[in-house]
Amino acid sequence: MKIIRVEGDTARASLSGLEQEIDVRFLDDPRPGDYAIVHAGFAIDKLDPEEAKKTLDLFRQLSAEGLTPPSGPLPPEK
Amino acid sequence: MNSPRLNTANFRDPDRAARLAEEIRRLAGDRPLRLMEGCGTHTVAIARAGLKSLLPEGIRLVSGPGCPVCVTPQETIERMIARAKQPKTILATFGDMLKVPGTSSSLREEKSRGADVRIVYSPLEALRLARENPGKRVVLPAVGFETTQPPVAAAVIEAERSGLDNFYIIPAGRLIPPALELLCGDPETRIDGLICPGHVSVIIGLEPYRDLARRRRVPCAVAGFEPVDILGAVRELVRMAVSGESGAVNLYPRAVREGGNPKARRTAAEVFRPVDAAWRGLGVIPAGGAGLRARYHRFDIDRADPVEIPPAPADPACICGRVLRGAADPADCPLFGSGCDPSRPRGPCMVSAEGACAAWHRYGVKG
């Protein structure tokens, strides 16, 4: 869900145009525009668009190289 | 500055999926491998996207104990139903629990007979019900994994702070890593790799899987819920299994941080502690459940007002227990589709939207 407005521990968030109140007490510095994963009414963490892109790049790179990452298992993502 | 847009469409891209499936085929050769998805949301995603049909015959995706409703033991179900029947009691439950059959009824049946059963989406709604109904007590069956325990704990802490004396829970939370550990050693399950749950991992991070991989020599991949996420995880697990590696990789870094969400874990740990707990199909798992810490015992309805529950034998024809261990497929059950379906479920795996039987039935999965 995308956060629209934050007021203290609660926020308005929307998904496909549907708005909902969520609790954001488990997030660090929630801001409008952040994407959050919501479970049982609580944002449990933010979604990182940059990391999404990196995962796709990684899959593409592995495909291009044919098989395995050069140094064995995939490095831990940061 | 505008935040970058999150584009998940690429994770549903058929070309990317097809390429990954091709690589899986090549990496696996004719080697048979059993990969378990330890998360009900994965089970549903795999069934909905028909991912099994993309995989070579030797690669079996097996559902695990990843549906919170499904792993809740029969005794706890009976306990919820017994509470719903009591006077001046509002049973506030997550929706999935409603249709789970007890020995003689279900929460839905009790509701239709006049019991005050309310569906809540967030534990904070149960708290609100308690505030709005001071003449009644509100009981929340706290079913759920690591993802649900922080929200429930937040509600308990708020109840404590505001001195609310009519809010209770039935502690029924379960912890995923001890269950996965148990199944890794189960000769009937035979796991060659684990697709680790996405949302539980948002909370717990990678360390529990690194630990599991080290001790059980099993490859673990944390994955998101789109087809490309899941196939990417299968690909990496196959590669690791074939080359004899074990370890834990994070293929869902857009949501899962290495250290998980410490804030959410701290809140859960303030209220809950690991306790030995019964799982349907898996028996009592050491440290496999979330029990209330002593200072929050007064929120445990069974301590505040003990109730006698008659023995609750599981339906002998239902094989949910074996399905939850990955020892049987839903279609192996004689009741599957003939005597048990989502409109009249005999076991919890057919009730919950996240249950393996419901997913297979809904999307017509063949073994």
Side-chain angles (χ1 to χ4, degrees), chain A residues 1-2 9-10 20-35 37-60 62-64 66-69 71-78, chain B residues 3-7 10-11 16 19-20 23 26-27 94 121-124 147-148 150-152 154-155 158 161 199-200 202-203 210 228-229 231-233 235-236 239-240 245-246 248-258 260-261 263-264 267:
Chain A
M1 301 194 82
K2 192 170 186 172
D9 276 350
T10 57
Q20 191 188 318
E21 188 164 284
I22 60 170
D23 192 290
V24 290
R25 75 184 70 192
F26 299 138
L27 299 187
D28 290 325
D29 192 21
R31 287 163 186 246
D34 285 344
Y35 294 92
I37 307 165
V38 178
H39 180 84
F42 284 67
I44 52 170
D45 220 328
K46 293 181 189 178
L47 274 165
D48 184 340
E50 292 298 326
E51 287 291 354
K53 207 170 148 298
K54 279 194 227 163
T55 303
L56 288 169
D57 288 346
L58 177 70
F59 288 155
R60 186 165 42 234
L62 295 179
S63 298
L67 280 181
T68 26
S71 55
L74 295 169
E77 308 285 340
K78 292 288 179 211
Chain B
S3 321
R5 272 193 70 232
L6 178 72
N7 182 1
N10 285 331
F11 288 93
R16 281 185 171 85
R19 268 207 306 277
L20 285 165
E23 281 175 51
R26 195 172 35 171
L27 284 165
F94 301 126
Y121 171 62
S122 159
L124 296 180
T147 355
T148 311
V152 173
E158 279 202 24
R161 279 189 192 143
H199 291 158
V200 163
V202 168
I203 305 293
R210 294 202 198 290
V228 167
D229 286 314
L231 290 170
R235 180 202 173 283
E236 186 56 11
R239 189 194 65 72
M240 289 169 88
E245 288 171 27
S246 60
V249 293
N250 181 7
L251 299 176
Y252 193 30
R254 63 186 185 275
V256 174
R257 289 179 283 160
E258 173 71 29
N261 185 335
K263 238 185 204 178
T267 300

Side-chain angles (χ1 to χ4, degrees), chain B residues 120-297:
Chain B
V120 293
Y121 171 62
S122 159
L124 296 180
E125 290 171 33
L127 210 58
R128 203 190 59 222
L129 283 172
R131 286 198 186 100
E132 291 170 356
N133 295 276
K136 293 183 172 181
R137 59 183 188 182
V138 171
V139 180
L140 171 75
V143 169
F145 298 133
E146 285 88 340
T147 355
T148 311
Q149 284 146 31
V152 173
V156 170
I157 291 169
E158 279 202 24
E160 164 92 349
R161 279 189 192 143
S162 54
L164 208 57
D165 61 3
N166 64 334
F167 173 77
Y168 298 94
I169 70 168
I170 298 175
R174 295 292 181 267
L175 303 170
I176 284 283
L180 294 180
E181 166 116 37
L182 179 90
L183 289 175
C184 283
D186 186 329
E188 242 196 319
T189 305
R190 294 176 288 119
I191 302 175
D192 299 300
L194 277 172
I195 303 173
C196 303
H199 291 158
V200 163
S201 305
V202 168
I203 305 293
I204 69 176
L206 268 284
E207 191 44 41
Y209 308 116
R210 294 202 198 290
D211 188 42
L212 186 66
R214 227 176 354 250
R215 282 182 297 109
R216 294 288 182 174
R217 309 293 311 158
V218 64
C220 298
V222 173
F225 301 101
E226 303 292 352
V228 167
D229 286 314
I230 295 167
L231 290 170
V234 170
R235 180 202 173 283
E236 186 56 11
L237 290 173
V238 167
R239 189 194 65 72
M240 289 169 88
V242 166
S243 60
E245 288 171 27
S246 60
V249 293
N250 181 7
L251 299 176
Y252 193 30
R254 63 186 185 275
V256 174
R257 289 179 283 160
E258 173 71 29
N261 185 335
K263 238 185 204 178
R265 277 205 310 278
R266 272 198 301 276
T267 300
E270 157 70 21
V271 173
F272 296 113
R273 65 186 180 89
V275 293
D276 299 351
W279 292 53
R280 187 188 293 264
L282 282 75
V284 172
I285 301 184
L292 281 169
R293 289 191 186 277
R295 71 171 286 214
Y296 294 101
H297 273 171

Side-chain angles (χ1 to χ4, degrees), chain B residues 76-86 88-94 97-98 106-108 110-111 115-120 126 129 136-142 168-170 301:
Chain B
T76 311
I77 307 288
E78 305 297 340
R79 218 163 259 289
M80 293 172 197
I81 296 171
R83 287 298 170 197
K85 289 179 178 173
Q86 291 182 322
K88 294 192 171 180
T89 301
I90 299 173
L91 193 96
T93 176
F94 301 126
M97 225 58 227
L98 216 59
S106 66
L107 289 178
R108 187 172 61 171
E110 293 306 328
K111 186 175 165 68
D116 197 347
V117 178
R118 317 264 185 111
I119 294 176
V120 293
L129 283 172
K136 293 183 172 181
R137 59 183 188 182
V138 171
V139 180
L140 171 75
Y168 298 94
I169 70 168
I170 298 175
I301 188 68

